[in-house]
Amino acid sequence: MIELNHVRKVFPGRRGGADVVALDGVDLAVPAGDFAGVVGPSGSGKSTLIRLVNLLERPTSGSVAVDGRVLTDLPADQVRQARSSIGMVFQHFELMDSRTAAENVEHPLELAGVGRAERRRRSADLLDLVGLAERAGARPRQLSGGQKQRVAIARALAARPQVLLCDEATSALDQASTTGVLELLRRVRDELGLTVLLITHEMAVVKAVCDSAVLLEAGRVVDGGRLDDVLTRDDSPLAAALLPAPVADDRVAGTLLRVTVTETAPEADVLRVLVGRLGLAVEVAGGSVETVAGGRHGRLLLRITDGDLSGLDTALTRLRAEGSKVERVAA
Ligand SMILES: Nc1ncnc2c1ncn2[C@@H]1O[C@H](COP(=O)(O)OP(=O)(O)OP(=O)(O)O)[C@@H](O)[C@H]1O
């Protein structure tokens, strides 16, 4: 469980300039076992937020708690110890080139005073977990970006943390490696029961792995929640960022309908009535349906190109009463 309460972070202005308010009263609660994302434009405070969770930065005010321990109240020596229950993965891997993959994974254990035999055993297990058992003796420069990030994930897990922080963990990777690393993160979360907090500027990453997310803007949380809930809200800026509203070509004639697709309100319910019952000719004018948080979600614009529209409004009212999210778009 990660909890930030009224966290504010102010950096002193550089060269006599004005102070920078990086975080301005942030509240965040990530339940144990959740895979949570923080998204927002550049400069919105994402990196500052994640660095506060393991106190790489101290908040100017407010509190940070991980698994019930209020880190901001702990003396320095206990902060160091508490940090060992928090793993972190970075955008540029931060591996030591002079060491092999296995030695990189062992490093935090060495610092924690774990004996050599135990270190070796744990590093072998972890490299196996991330699918790199055969590359244990390779140096980072001999590995691809995706492989380096797998080693970094193994290293982050070495001290058996309960919480894993991912700072733009896939931003330096190509599409195929990104997919592999995200699948791995999701799998280790499931297998080890971790709580994961990930920051990213890529909405596709949030859609691929997160259960919940918050949207930061100028140091404030402006929206957030469980994705399957967020995506059913019409007025949600986070939903709009995840699934942008479709645009239809307004030069084409026809009546337009906006449909919000969710697991419980599939577009098939709407099409069955429009096409099946009313006998209308319907085409998709824009939008998409994707798998987000394990469920089907989307925003579609449907265009009715032919047929008798006299029963349409009554049918739409009935569909809405039955749970569909469908409305006629004003011409
Ligand atoms: N050490 C620092 N000293 C002064 N200002 C800082 C410092 N670190 C961050 N800032 C400022 O705090 C604000 C938030 O920065 P932060 O890096 O947290 O945003 P971000 O959302 O992670 O951005 P990006 O996606 O570009 O990395 C920015 O205005 C940034 O310039």
Side-chain angles (χ1 to χ4, degrees):
M1 170 102 190
I2 302 169
E3 264 183 302
L4 271 60
N5 280 307
H6 309 308
V7 166
R8 201 173 145 78
K9 177 69 185 179
V10 182
F11 290 108
R14 290 179 179 127
R15 293 195 202 123
D19 289 352
V20 178
V21 181
L23 294 175
D24 192 8
V26 168
D27 291 311
L28 180 73
V30 183
D34 205 37
F35 204 126
V38 178
V39 286
S42 181
S44 57
K46 303 183 297 297
S47 301
T48 305
L49 188 154
I50 205 161
R51 290 166 61 80
L52 282 166
V53 176
N54 58 4
L55 293 198
L56 286 175
E57 296 283 0
R58 282 207 161 252
T60 309
S61 60
S63 67
V64 177
V66 174
D67 288 333
R69 288 173 93 184
V70 183
L71 302 188
T72 33
D73 287 350
L74 295 178
D77 57 327
Q78 287 183 36
V79 168
R80 268 193 297 280
Q81 191 214 335
R83 258 194 213 132
S84 69
S85 67
I86 304 173
M88 189 152 180
V89 180
F90 304 90
Q91 179 175 2
H92 296 295
F93 328 122
E94 315 292 343
L95 298 174
M96 288 179 287
D97 234 332
S98 58
R99 297 184 175 221
T100 64
E103 288 163 352
N104 269 282
V105 177
E106 282 181 44
H107 186 60
L109 299 174
E110 212 175 312
L111 295 179
V114 176
R116 200 168 166 183
E118 171 66 7
R119 284 197 322 252
R120 293 233 160 130
R121 197 179 57 75
R122 244 196 266 176
S123 129
D125 285 351
L126 284 163
L127 285 173
D128 192 36
L129 179 75
V130 302
L132 281 179
E134 288 92 73
R135 306 306 312 273
R139 308 260 166 201
R141 64 174 173 278
Q142 298 169 311
L143 300 173
S144 70
Q147 290 173 328
K148 282 188 234 184
Q149 197 59 297
R150 285 168 184 273
V151 174
I153 291 168
R155 178 186 57 187
L157 299 175
R160 302 203 174 108
Q162 294 300 304
V163 167
L164 184 63
L165 306 177
C166 303
D167 184 354
E168 297 278 3
T170 55
S171 300
L173 303 178
D174 63 21
Q175 189 52 54
S177 305
T178 293
T179 304
V181 164
L182 292 177
E183 279 171 9
L184 173 63
L185 287 172
R186 189 91 189 172
R187 181 161 63 80
V188 295
R189 188 286 297 263
D190 292 345
E191 286 180 17
L192 306 177
L194 299 173
T195 307
V196 184
L197 181 65
L198 166 148
I199 65 165
T200 182
H201 63 278
E202 292 172 289
M203 295 298 160
V205 168
V206 174
K207 287 190 273 189
V209 282
C210 292
D211 304 311
S212 65
V214 296
L215 176 63
L216 270 188
E217 267 172 26
R220 290 169 184 252
V221 173
V222 295
D223 195 7
R226 306 202 67 75
L227 295 190
D228 46 12
D229 182 40
V230 164
L231 288 170
T232 61
R233 299 204 316 251
D234 294 332
D235 57 349
S236 160
L238 179 56
L242 289 165
L243 294 175
V247 183
D249 184 346
D250 58 10
R251 292 166 303 183
V252 181
T255 298
L256 285 176
L257 303 178
R258 187 169 19 238
V259 181
T260 303
V261 177
T262 68
E263 273 292 288
T264 52
E267 72 280 20
D269 290 351
V270 177
L271 290 169
R272 203 173 298 120
V273 170
L274 299 182
V275 181
R277 203 175 305 156
L278 301 182
L280 301 171
V282 180
E283 65 183 21
V284 176
S288 63
V289 177
E290 300 178 38
T291 302
V292 182
R296 283 181 86 249
H297 291 275
R299 294 176 177 215
L300 293 177
L301 274 177
L302 301 181
R303 185 187 287 117
I304 302 170
T305 53
D306 199 14
D308 175 8
L309 298 181
S310 58
L312 181 62
D313 287 329
T314 309
L316 295 183
T317 304
R318 207 154 130 198
L319 274 165
R320 282 193 290 270
E322 288 165 0
S324 288
K325 290 177 76 76
V326 55
E327 59 187 307
R328 206 164 162 162
V329 179

